[in-house]
Structure formats: C-alpha cells, structure tokens
Amino acid sequence: MEEGKTKEEILYHIFQEDDEKALEKKGKQFFVRAGFEEETKARYQSRMVQYIVHTGGALLGAYLLITAAAYIWTRETSRRREQEFEQFGSVIEQFYTGNYQVPYKEEEGMKSQLFSRLNSLGKRLEVQEKRIQDEKETTKSLVTDISHQLKTPVTSLKMCLELLEEEELSKEEQKEFLGQAVGQTRRLDSLTKALINISRMETGMISVKKIHAPIMDTVAQAVSSVYGKAQEKNIEMEVVKNSDGIADMAIPHDPHWTREAIANILENAVKYSGRDTCIQIRMMRRTSFLRIEIEDQGIGIDSRDYSKIFQRFYRGTAPQVKKEDGSGVGLYLTRSILEAQGGSISVSAGKQGSIFKIHLSLL
C-alpha cells in the first residue's frame, strides 16, 4: 500500500484511470497488497476440505449401506437355502416311509423344478409300489386257487391207486377204479396246461401281438379245433356272415391267441350242449369294431353268474357243470386275451342256451 494513503484514496486513484488494462493491473495489485489473495485461497481450501469431507462421508455411508445390504442378502439367502435343504431332506425321509406326496407350488426357479422332479419321482414310485403289491396279491391268490384246484383230483387219484393195491377187488372193481384214476389224471393234465397259460399270461411271458390278418381264417381254425368233439355229439356248427366282405376282411388281432379265445368258448358250448343241437357263429361288422356272436342250445347260464364265469377257476354251481371235467380257467383266459388286444367279451341268454358276444377293434 502506498505510504501515507488510505485504501479509500488508493481506490479513488485507481478508478480515475482511463486505461482499462492499467485499471485492472492496479486493481490486482491493490487486492494483493490488501491481503485478499491469501484470504481467497484459504476460503477455497476450506471449501475443498468441506467438499471432500462431505463427499467422503457420503461415499462411506453408501459403502456401509451396500455392505450391510450385501450381508443381509447373503444371510437371508443362506437361511433360505438351509430351509430348502431341510425340506429336501424331509421329502427324502418321506420316501423311505412310503409317503410319496411332495408339496410344492408351480413357480419359476431351481427349487420349484427340483420339487417338481421329486413329485414326478414320487408318483412313479407310488405306481410301482402299487403294482408290486398287486402282483403279490395276485400271486397269493393264484397259489391259493391252484392249491384248491389240485387238491380234489390229487386226493381222488391217490384214493383210486390205494384201492387198486388191494387184492380183494374184483376185475370189474379194478377196471372202475382204474378208469377213475385215468380220468383224474386227464383232469390234472388239463388243469396243469391251463395253469401254465394263466401263469404265462399274468407274468407277461405270453405277449399278444396284433397284426392285420383275415378274421375268417382265425374263426375257421377255432372251429376246426373243436370239430371232432362236436361230431361225437352230432352238434352242427354254423358260421353266418351278416355283412358283405367279412370273408376276406383282415383286421388287427393276434391270430394265434384269438383262435385260442374263440376255441375256449366253442369248447364250453359243445361240452354243455345236448346231442343233435346247433352252435351258430355270427359275424357282424360295425363302424369301429367286429362283433362275433356264439350262440349255443345248451344248459344256459344263470344271470347272477354272468360276471362270475369270467373269473379265474369259477365253474358255477349247476349239477350239469359239476359232472363235466373242467378247470374253470378257459373263459378267464378268453377274457384276458381279448382285453389284451383292446377287445371285450360278454354273455347273455339266448333262445335256448347262451350267447357269447366278442368285440374286436378295427382300429
């Protein structure tokens, strides 16, 4: 500052200058001499410190918030995973106890997909367990039925052989008991063959395979298989085709086993029909199936037994049935064979005897 002059006087002389540059130069000199430059720097530095402090505090706060949020998220995720593992372990424990129900919601995500797979696995295991249980029950029932069926002929055969060993028997008595023994042996043979077929059918060893083949050939072979027995009783067997083209019609079926199924019905018809009667086989084509009716002039079937005759080893209670040889498995096998290829069988009363109705799919 110029000696002897106040700041006001110096400012007065500065603003009296006409030259702008000289005015600016003197003004800067005045502010420097007056100490304003150091004050400005100090203020600037103070503001910078404040800005850094505030900015750093905000960044630190944000960092702490992010860290806290990450910690909470990690902890919550870990807790959820622990719960999911507990649920997963609980489901596995349920499987061990035979409970295959898996509670889950249809949602997106790995958890839902995992429990959906477990649910599918549980249903599959449930089906398999039921199938195994059904097979056990079937096997148990089959063994019981076989034991019951074998008991009578084996006991009769044993008794006949024991009587034949006695020396006091006459030749006529020996001949009678020998005939009974032969009859029981034949019954055992027939029963054994039937049991073998049942066993194979129920265990899947007999595989029914449908092919397109002429149905008339199958029916004709079934008729031929029982023709000899029908001739012995002078029973006429008539095949009636009620639709055009049936003689040459090929339909999807298993020729071998379908022939066996039809032959079983014809065998029963011959067995329980009187002499000089007729068995009529009618064939009718419908929209989606072929209908085969087998009508006999036999003893008939009680309407209360319509569903029972297709059960395994059931033979009915009529005296005419009891006196005939049989194992009670023929119609059971017939139904199994037809159902295995999408067909069906039923029975109703005829004019004199019974009418068995077979339906074979044309699709």
Side-chain angles (χ1 to χ4, degrees):
M1 185 180 295
E2 297 182 11
E3 295 181 2
K5 292 183 180 181
T6 64
K7 292 180 179 179
E8 289 80 6
E9 291 175 341
I10 294 172
L11 286 174
Y12 176 77
H13 286 289
I14 289 174
F15 287 111
Q16 292 298 316
E17 291 285 348
D18 295 330
D19 188 357
E20 291 182 0
K21 290 184 178 181
L23 179 62
E24 180 182 357
K25 182 177 179 182
K26 288 184 178 183
K28 288 181 179 181
Q29 291 175 354
F30 171 78
F31 279 103
V32 171
R33 290 176 182 177
F36 288 109
E37 184 177 7
E38 286 75 5
E39 182 179 352
T40 302
K41 287 182 180 180
R43 289 180 182 177
Y44 176 76
Q45 290 175 354
S46 175
R47 289 179 181 178
M48 284 296 294
V49 170
Q50 292 177 359
Y51 175 77
I52 291 173
V53 169
H54 288 304
T55 304
L59 289 174
L60 179 61
Y63 172 77
L64 292 175
L65 287 174
I66 293 173
T67 303
Y71 172 76
I72 294 172
W73 179 83
T74 303
R75 186 174 180 180
E76 184 65 22
T77 302
S78 177
R79 186 182 64 82
R80 285 200 304 266
R81 286 181 178 176
E82 288 179 0
Q83 291 179 346
E84 291 173 0
F85 277 119
E86 288 178 0
Q87 292 176 356
F88 181 77
S90 177
V91 170
I92 298 301
E93 289 295 329
Q94 287 180 204
F95 280 15
Y96 277 113
T97 60
N99 181 5
Y100 303 114
Q101 300 298 322
V102 181
Y104 79 101
K105 296 180 180 180
E106 290 288 348
E107 300 174 351
E108 294 183 358
M110 185 177 296
K111 175 186 175 182
S112 180
Q113 293 177 3
L114 175 61
F115 278 85
S116 176
R117 292 290 183 89
L118 285 174
N119 185 57
S120 299
L121 176 61
K123 290 181 178 179
R124 185 174 298 181
L125 289 173
E126 192 172 8
V127 170
Q128 291 291 340
E129 186 171 298
K130 186 179 184 303
R131 183 179 299 172
I132 292 172
Q133 187 62 33
D134 290 343
E135 289 178 356
K136 287 182 179 179
E137 293 297 326
T138 300
T139 302
K140 182 179 178 181
S141 176
L142 181 60
V143 170
T144 302
D145 290 340
I146 289 174
S147 300
H148 177 73
Q149 292 296 319
L150 291 175
K151 184 177 180 180
T152 301
V154 169
T155 301
S156 298
L157 181 59
K158 181 181 178 181
M159 182 183 67
C160 290
L161 293 175
E162 288 176 349
L163 290 173
L164 285 171
E165 289 179 348
E166 296 182 4
E167 298 179 357
E168 293 83 2
L169 293 176
S170 63
K171 290 184 178 180
E172 290 77 10
E173 290 175 331
Q174 290 178 358
K175 184 177 180 180
E176 179 183 354
F177 287 125
L178 183 60
Q180 291 182 12
V182 172
Q184 294 300 328
T185 302
R186 289 175 179 172
R187 183 180 177 184
L188 281 173
D189 181 62
S190 175
L191 180 59
T192 301
K193 290 178 180 178
L195 292 175
I196 290 173
N197 284 334
I198 287 178
S199 176
R200 289 177 176 176
M201 179 68 69
E202 294 189 346
T203 57
M205 293 178 66
I206 293 178
S207 178
V208 176
K209 298 179 181 179
K210 296 200 296 184
I211 62 172
H212 273 79
I215 187 60
M216 275 302 302
D217 290 351
T218 302
V219 173
Q221 291 172 11
V223 172
S224 298
S225 67
V226 299
Y227 185 77
K229 294 180 180 179
Q231 284 292 97
E232 292 176 1
K233 300 176 71 173
N234 196 30
I235 295 176
E236 180 185 358
M237 304 185 73
E238 180 185 7
V239 179
V240 180
K241 300 179 286 294
N242 293 354
S243 301
D244 295 334
I246 287 183
D248 301 320
M249 185 170 63
I251 68 170
H253 70 291
D254 187 310
H256 172 73
W257 289 109
T258 304
R259 181 184 72 238
E260 290 291 322
I262 296 173
N264 286 337
I265 300 173
L266 293 174
E267 243 181 69
N268 283 342
V270 171
K271 184 187 297 184
Y272 300 114
S273 294
R275 296 184 63 84
D276 304 318
T277 56
C278 177
I279 298 174
Q280 191 176 78
I281 304 166
R282 298 184 291 268
M283 304 175 66
M284 294 151 282
R285 181 174 184 174
R286 296 293 183 260
T287 303
S288 60
F289 62 88
L290 176 71
R291 180 168 177 165
I292 302 175
E293 293 184 352
I294 301 175
E295 183 174 5
D296 60 50
Q297 297 175 347
I299 62 175
I301 301 171
D302 193 313
S303 60
R304 293 172 296 183
D305 291 338
Y306 283 170
S307 60
K308 296 179 182 178
I309 61 173
F310 298 106
Q311 296 176 2
R312 187 175 55 207
F313 301 121
Y314 185 81
R315 295 198 63 210
T317 57
Q320 298 94 324
V321 175
K322 293 295 184 181
K323 72 177 184 179
E324 295 288 346
D325 291 336
S327 59
V329 298
L331 293 178
Y332 170 78
L333 281 173
T334 294
R335 187 191 67 177
S336 300
I337 290 168
L338 294 174
E339 290 181 349
Q341 49 190 323
S344 64
I345 184 171
S346 60
V347 65
S348 62
K351 294 179 180 179
Q352 297 182 36
S354 304
I355 303 176
F356 284 86
K357 302 168 186 176
I358 295 173
H359 294 89
L360 293 172
S361 175
L362 298 178
L363 303 178

